[in-house]
Structures are given as C-alpha cells and as structure tokens.
Amino acid sequence: DDDDDDDEDDHKEEQHSNRPAAGGQGGRQDPLKKQAPMPKAKKGSTNPIVIKSNFLYDSKTGSRFFAKGVAYNPRNQVFDLRLMKEGNCTPGEPVAPKLSYAADPTAEDLEGTWKEALNAIANLGANTVRLYNINPELSHKKFMDYAASLGLYVIIPLTRHDWGFLPAGSPAPLCYTQDIDEYGNVGTNLLTSAKLIVKEFSQYDNTLLFTVANE
C-alpha cells in the first residue's frame, strides 16, 4: 500500500511540473489558435414587447418575454500584466480598434466589428443586447436593423460618459441639480441628452427599454 501511495504522489508531482509558472516570462501561455469563422446566426423576429401588470409580453404572439442578454461595450483597453495576482495571460492583438470610453461602439464606421459581435451573441442563444455610451447624433439604423434580423432586442442607456451624465461623486439630490464649471447644470443637460436618445431609438421595434444611470 505504501508503494501505491508513493506512485500516486510521484504522478501528482509530475502533473504539477508540467504546469506553466505563474507570472513572469516563463508563465506566458502559447498564443491561441485562430478560431474558425462564426456561422451566421439564424434569422429571428423582434415583435414589439409590451408590459402587462409586472410582466413582458410579445405584442403579436401574446407569449411571455424573457430577456437573455449580453452587455456589449468593447473598448480594447491595454491589459496590464502587473495587475495579475495568479495565473498567466498572453496579450492578444484584437482586430477591433481601440475606443475611448465615451465613444459609440455601434457607429456605422465600426460595422465590421459590431456585426461579428452581434452574430456571436445571437449564436449564444441570447435575445437582448445592453449598450453603453451611445451618441444620439449618429445614425443607428444599420446596427438596430442588423440586430433585429438576428432576433436581438436592445437596451438603451439614457446616460452617457462625457455629456448627459450623473456625477458619481455627488450624493442625491445634488447629482441631479449640480452646476459644473464649463459643463452647466447636470439635470438640464441630462434631460436634453435623454430626449435626443429617446427620439433616436424609439423608432425601432427592437428597442426593448431605456435604462437610467446603471442597473
């Protein structure tokens, strides 16, 4: 029995010795193999969703609607390996451009990026996408139409990062009434921005809801 225990310990030690070291250059994993192209998701439908009592329903079929969602907020920020406490990571080279935090990731000039992402999201079985930091002065027809073709509803934020925001460092009710130098009144700008956003996205049947501030 003692010999069996020794063999088991040797096996465990051999398994551990094959693991890459955590951190440092010796701990970098090999680059991932290139993945096969994502298949085109099946076409879906996005009938307008209505509220009855405390529930959501498909306005045409009458069926209960249950959102299965993914947040879409690609920024491609620089990964700092020094922040890792355990494990290892090899920085990749994403084809998507790096966006500022206030940039609109659904803009038409980023169509190649968001089309691939929406297709992947639909292939997961999701039916809803939650957005952040959109610019109501841009057209979102291509994004919304493509999302609808995949059966994806969209949750739209009414607050933004650089204009039409709620200052996180100010307690209520100051965060709604505060005057900020070179920006103006928080409440006035927020209401103006929100009206522009509602006007832009209320024309699409697959706009599921508008969200104020965060969840």
Side-chain angles (χ1 to χ4, degrees):
D1 292 340
D2 292 340
D3 291 340
D4 291 340
D5 292 340
D6 291 340
D7 291 342
E8 185 177 347
D9 291 340
D10 291 342
H11 181 61
K12 289 180 179 179
E13 184 175 348
E14 182 180 350
Q15 284 182 322
H16 287 302
S17 65
N18 291 331
R19 294 178 183 173
Q25 298 203 352
R28 301 291 184 87
Q29 69 182 31
D30 293 332
L32 298 176
K33 295 181 180 180
K34 187 175 181 180
Q35 295 180 329
M38 181 72 66
K40 181 70 165 62
K42 296 180 180 179
K43 288 189 175 182
S45 63
T46 52
N47 299 326
I49 302 300
V50 296
I51 300 173
K52 294 181 180 179
S53 186
N54 294 328
F55 303 106
L56 300 176
Y57 293 87
D58 186 307
S59 61
K60 293 188 177 180
T61 67
S63 301
R64 281 278 303 277
F65 175 80
F66 297 91
K68 296 181 290 183
V70 174
Y72 181 63
N73 191 32
R75 299 295 162 187
N76 191 13
Q77 298 298 312
V78 176
F79 172 73
D80 190 346
L81 186 64
R82 296 171 298 177
L83 298 178
M84 291 195 69
K85 304 300 182 183
E86 298 179 1
N88 58 81
C89 182
T90 301
E93 296 181 0
V95 296
K98 186 182 297 184
L99 299 179
S100 70
Y101 194 76
D104 186 341
T106 67
E108 292 189 356
D109 59 343
L110 298 173
E111 182 177 359
T113 302
W114 53 251
K115 262 193 172 181
E116 182 179 1
L118 291 181
N119 191 55
I121 291 170
N123 269 303
L124 289 173
N127 61 12
T128 305
V129 176
R130 200 268 204 221
L131 300 180
Y132 301 79
N133 292 329
I134 51 86
N135 182 354
E137 297 180 17
L138 300 178
S139 172
H140 297 83
K141 180 173 174 53
K142 285 187 176 182
F143 179 89
M144 296 298 289
D145 285 352
Y146 189 71
S149 74
L150 299 177
L152 293 173
Y153 292 88
V154 185
I155 296 176
I156 308 297
L158 289 182
T159 52
R160 294 190 271 167
H161 177 71
D162 57 344
W163 202 85
F165 59 85
L166 291 173
S170 301
L174 186 60
C175 60
Y176 302 105
T177 60
Q178 186 176 4
D179 288 304
I180 299 177
D181 292 342
E182 299 183 2
Y183 175 70
N185 183 269
V186 169
T188 300
N189 290 349
L190 176 60
L191 181 59
T192 301
S193 176
K195 287 181 176 180
L196 292 172
I197 292 171
V198 170
K199 182 179 179 180
E200 167 64 11
F201 286 94
S202 60
Q203 60 185 305
Y204 302 107
D205 286 344
N206 59 325
T207 294
L208 180 60
L209 58 88
F210 296 95
T211 179
V212 182
N214 227 326
E215 288 79 0

